[in-house]
């Protein structure tokens, strides 16, 4: 049965483009699904999405199912703005629901790209939420269009719906697996039908997905912090290449494809996951502290205090301080009540955005030799502004340390990173970067140091234990959409947006 729809805009519209001061890599999205929650599944999903808000702030959506009828809402803006009303379970009734919060890396931030995406099939309705990027999206889309498919969005997630719809298998689970057999890249998927919830993780486990219980209900989510917020119990990670099917008979697991060694994304530990999450069995907080300890061993320096770039640099700075014996100080105070810098009304205001979000604490910094700890350095624009503000507050020396290795290559699995020519470390030597960033010294955690922090030991060059191409250039899958048949030249790495909205 066709769903009821509600599509709305909040007061603030967040356009999708990179400002010169917006120097953080961004992950595409977070997903959450609840099955068997006795009428209030949408409320549980909304709480889960709120916990996953750090994985995407541009748009959010929930699709619930009551009986054989779907109810969907899709909004631009934050989860609390969209789904904070007391009437949520009246608007989105049902025992099962799936939700999505996004920052677009593929397709732009148009209303028609907001997930979950819904389709009416001959077997009934299906809603799907997708975290990640397909590296063969363009090839599949061109093939499907040539065969008569009509696309309503510019998101690679819609390809999955078309593949499910075109499968000749009779059961929806088999159709879902058919679609998985065609797609490549990094993904975590949660799909909802009137009778089943299906979750899947890519064969290498690049993007995370966890399984939990909320009383008798089942929960799938991108991170364990969503389970904690809902009040659910963590059961386990969905494993790489695994498909889980949840229905009235309970949960069953499928392994439809040949076994491969897992290669989870290292950037989940470096930056993306919330520090209170457990990802692939490891506490993100403890891993980040271990990164800081390794950084202190590799790049120790005579100094007076250790200062984090808040908030993501805090655990690594704690580890650095503990290993080095230097005092930990909150030398930079972050405001939590400002939007991202690119939504400021003018270029001049945007240029002040970093100072508005990060204010130096003169009482802690004046006259001190400062070790400044950040989680990573991308283009360096934010780092330079922070260094200058710390010096302006009276710091005697500034020693910048990155708790990740140098970022040398772009990503194609759901992380929005600049082109290679815009990555600071890809285009400058260490000495050049030190001069450009106006610091007294500069140090990056080594790749083996990062592997040690996650408990994997030295990197195995023959069979890397993690996805780490942004540091090494070793991409874990083929990149079909970058390949050109004649000459092997590379094409633009961004997925094509083939439609334009006013």
């Amino acid at each position: 049965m066709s769903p009821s729809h509600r599509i709305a805009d909040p007061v603030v519209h967040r356009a999708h483009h990179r400002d010169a001061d917006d120097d953080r890599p961004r992950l595409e999205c977070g997903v959450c699904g609840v099955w068997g929650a006795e009428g209030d599944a949408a409320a549980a999903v909304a709480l889960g999405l709120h916990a996953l808000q750090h994985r995407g702030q541009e748009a959010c959506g929930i699709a619930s199912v009551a009986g054989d009828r779907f109810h969907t809402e899709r909004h631009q803006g934050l989860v609390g703005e969209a789904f904070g009303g007391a009437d949520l379970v009246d608007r989105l009734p049902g025992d099962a629901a799936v939700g999505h919060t996004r920052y677009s890396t593929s397709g732009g931030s148009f209303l028609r790209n907001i997930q979950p995406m819904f389709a009416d099939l001959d077997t009934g309705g299906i809603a799907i939420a997708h975290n990640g990027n397909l590296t063969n999206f363009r090839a599949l889309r061109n093939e499907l269009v040539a065969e008569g498919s009509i696309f309503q969005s510019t998101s690679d997630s819609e390809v999955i719906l078309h593949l499910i719809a075109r499968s000749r298998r009779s059961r929806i689970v088999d159709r879902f697996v058919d679609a998985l057999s065609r797609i490549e890249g990094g993904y975590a998927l949660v799909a909802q039908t009137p009778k089943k919830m299906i979750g899947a993780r890519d064969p290498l486990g690049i993007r995370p997905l966890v399984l939990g219980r909320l009383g008798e209900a089942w929960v799938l989510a991108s991170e364990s912090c969503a389970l904690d917020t809902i009040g659910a119990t963590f059961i386990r990670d969905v494993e790489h290449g695994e498909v889980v099917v949840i229905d009235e008979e309970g949960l069953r697991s499928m392994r439809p494809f040949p076994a491969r060694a897992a290669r989870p994304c290292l950037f989940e530990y470096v930056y993306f996951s919330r520090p209170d999450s457990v990802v692939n069995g490891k506490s993100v907080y403890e891993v980040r502290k271990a990164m800081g300890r390794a950084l202190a061993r590799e790049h120790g320096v005579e100094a007076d205090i250790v200062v984090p770039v808040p908030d993501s640099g805090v655990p690594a700075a704690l580890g650095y301080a503990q290993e080095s014996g230097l005092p930990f100080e909150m030398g930079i105070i972050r405001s939590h009540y400002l939007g991202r810098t690119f939504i400021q009304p003018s270029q001049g205001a945007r240029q002040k955005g970093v100072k508005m979000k990060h204010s130096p604490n003169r009482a802690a910094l004046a006259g001190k030799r400062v070790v400044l700890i950040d989680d990573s350095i991308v283009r360096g624009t934010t780092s330079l502004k922070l260094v200058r503000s710390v010096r302006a507050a009276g710091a005697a020396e500034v020693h910048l340390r990155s708790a990740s290795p140098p970022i040398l290559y772009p990503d194609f699995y759901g992380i929005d990173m600049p082109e290679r020519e815009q990555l600071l470390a890809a285009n400058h030597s260490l000495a050049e970067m030190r001069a450009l960033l106006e610091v007294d010294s500069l140090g990056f955690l080594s790749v083996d140091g990062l592997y040690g922090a996650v408990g994997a030991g030295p990197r195995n060059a023959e069979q890397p234990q993690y996805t780490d191409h942004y540091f090494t250039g070793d991409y874990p899958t083929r990149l079909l959409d970058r390949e050109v048949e004649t000459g092997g030249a590379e094409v633009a790495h961004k997925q094509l947006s083939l439609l334009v909205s006013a």
Side-chain angles (χ1 to χ4, degrees):
M1 181 177 289
S2 297
S4 61
H5 293 282
R6 177 186 169 101
I7 302 177
D9 297 284
V11 174
V12 178
H13 172 72
R14 291 167 172 80
H16 170 58
H17 67 276
R18 266 197 180 274
D19 184 81
D21 295 321
D22 185 26
D23 192 32
R24 292 292 185 187
R26 297 192 183 278
L27 197 63
E28 182 174 7
C29 51
V31 298
C32 183
V34 174
W35 172 271
E38 297 187 356
D40 61 354
V45 167
L47 285 173
L49 293 181
H50 189 271
L52 298 171
Q53 188 75 86
H54 59 288
R55 300 184 76 89
Q57 299 94 44
E58 282 195 347
C60 53
I62 296 176
S64 69
V65 61
D68 63 350
R69 184 173 180 83
F70 281 81
H71 303 262
T72 69
E73 284 193 27
R74 297 180 294 158
H75 300 259
Q76 289 183 315
L78 303 177
V79 175
E81 298 170 351
F83 299 114
D87 63 341
L88 178 61
V89 295
D90 297 322
R91 288 151 38 201
L92 296 170
D95 297 345
V98 60
H100 188 271
T101 186
R102 83 188 303 261
Y103 172 84
S104 60
T105 66
S106 172
S109 57
F110 307 137
L111 281 171
R112 61 176 167 266
N113 289 334
I114 300 173
Q115 299 184 38
M117 290 191 169
F118 175 85
D120 258 324
L121 310 179
D122 57 347
T123 55
I126 183 170
I128 191 165
H130 167 214
N131 170 26
N133 251 29
L134 306 185
T135 55
N136 63 338
F137 156 66
R138 180 167 30 220
L140 286 173
R141 188 188 188 282
N142 290 344
E143 175 186 325
L144 289 165
V145 168
E147 294 175 356
S149 293
I150 299 173
F151 281 75
Q152 298 297 318
S153 79
T154 62
S155 169
D156 57 355
S157 308
E158 191 178 0
V159 163
I160 302 169
L161 278 179
H162 280 279
L163 292 172
I164 293 171
R166 294 172 70 87
S167 172
R168 297 183 180 276
R169 306 294 292 274
S170 59
R171 298 193 312 157
I172 189 63
V173 173
D174 295 330
R175 289 184 170 200
F176 187 84
V177 170
D178 263 1
L180 295 185
S181 71
R182 299 289 309 281
I183 64 177
E184 300 174 12
Y187 57 82
L189 298 169
V190 180
Q192 181 69 62
T193 76
K195 297 180 186 276
K196 301 179 190 299
M197 186 167 72
I198 309 170
R201 197 172 174 194
D202 65 79
L204 296 177
I206 298 173
R207 298 269 70 87
L209 190 65
V210 299
L211 176 69
R213 291 301 300 266
L214 180 63
E216 296 301 311
W218 291 94
V219 184
L220 289 167
S222 291
E223 290 182 40
S224 63
C225 65
L227 304 180
D228 298 335
T229 299
I230 294 172
T233 301
F234 173 82
I235 301 298
R236 63 177 177 87
D237 289 287
V238 175
E239 296 183 7
H240 60 290
E242 183 182 13
V243 176
V244 293
V245 182
I246 301 165
D247 56 23
E248 292 180 353
E249 298 179 1
L251 179 143
R252 67 182 185 276
S253 171
M254 302 169 58
R255 290 285 195 160
F257 308 113
R260 300 174 64 181
R263 287 187 65 178
C265 175
L266 274 176
F267 238 95
E268 292 289 344
Y269 300 104
V270 170
Y271 180 66
F272 290 128
S273 294
R274 251 176 48 171
D276 54 329
S277 284
V278 175
V279 176
N280 302 306
K282 302 180 188 301
S283 161
V284 174
Y285 178 74
E286 292 299 332
V287 168
R288 288 179 184 167
K289 283 179 64 179
M291 289 158 58
R293 290 194 292 269
L295 189 59
R297 292 191 294 269
E298 293 182 0
H299 296 286
V301 65
E302 291 189 8
D304 300 311
I305 58 173
V306 177
V307 171
V309 175
D311 290 319
S312 54
V314 170
L318 280 170
Y320 191 104
Q322 291 168 0
E323 183 71 19
S324 65
L326 296 173
F328 173 94
E329 298 286 353
M330 293 302 294
I332 298 173
I333 307 302
R334 179 181 177 230
S335 171
H336 293 83
Y337 305 101
L338 292 169
R340 298 203 295 274
T341 54
F342 66 68
I343 68 170
Q344 301 302 327
S346 69
Q347 179 65 20
R350 287 196 296 269
Q351 289 174 345
K352 297 175 183 176
V354 171
K355 288 186 180 179
M356 293 169 66
K357 289 199 294 186
H358 296 99
S359 299
N361 180 4
R362 185 175 294 273
L365 297 171
K368 300 293 177 44
R369 297 172 297 173
V370 176
V371 182
L372 186 62
I373 308 291
D374 206 350
D375 58 88
S376 58
I377 299 173
V378 184
R379 292 180 299 176
T381 53
T382 298
S383 299
L384 177 58
K385 288 179 171 62
L386 288 171
V387 168
R388 287 176 172 173
S389 70
V390 169
R391 287 200 187 278
E397 297 175 6
V398 181
H399 302 275
L400 182 60
R401 297 293 182 266
S402 167
S404 81
I407 298 173
L408 302 173
Y409 299 92
D411 179 83
F412 309 100
Y413 303 101
I415 303 173
D416 185 24
M417 282 186 181
E419 303 280 357
R420 182 166 162 80
E421 57 267 22
Q422 294 179 309
L423 296 171
L424 185 71
N427 297 281
H428 298 282
S429 68
L430 186 67
E432 289 170 339
M433 287 189 285
R434 184 197 61 75
L436 287 167
L437 296 174
E438 300 176 6
V439 291
D440 294 279
S441 71
L442 175 65
F444 293 84
L445 183 64
S446 68
V447 171
D448 279 346
L450 179 53
Y451 268 76
V454 296
R459 180 180 189 269
N460 182 343
E462 298 300 319
Q463 190 174 2
Q465 304 94 310
Y466 285 88
T467 288
D468 60 10
H469 51 274
Y470 19 73
F471 308 131
T472 65
D474 185 354
Y475 290 90
T477 72
R478 68 171 185 166
L479 304 173
L480 184 60
D481 285 347
R482 283 179 66 89
E483 297 170 2
V484 176
E485 291 183 4
T486 57
E490 290 183 344
V491 296
H493 84 269
K494 297 291 185 185
Q495 305 286 9
L496 292 179
S497 274
L498 302 174
L499 303 175
V500 177
S501 286

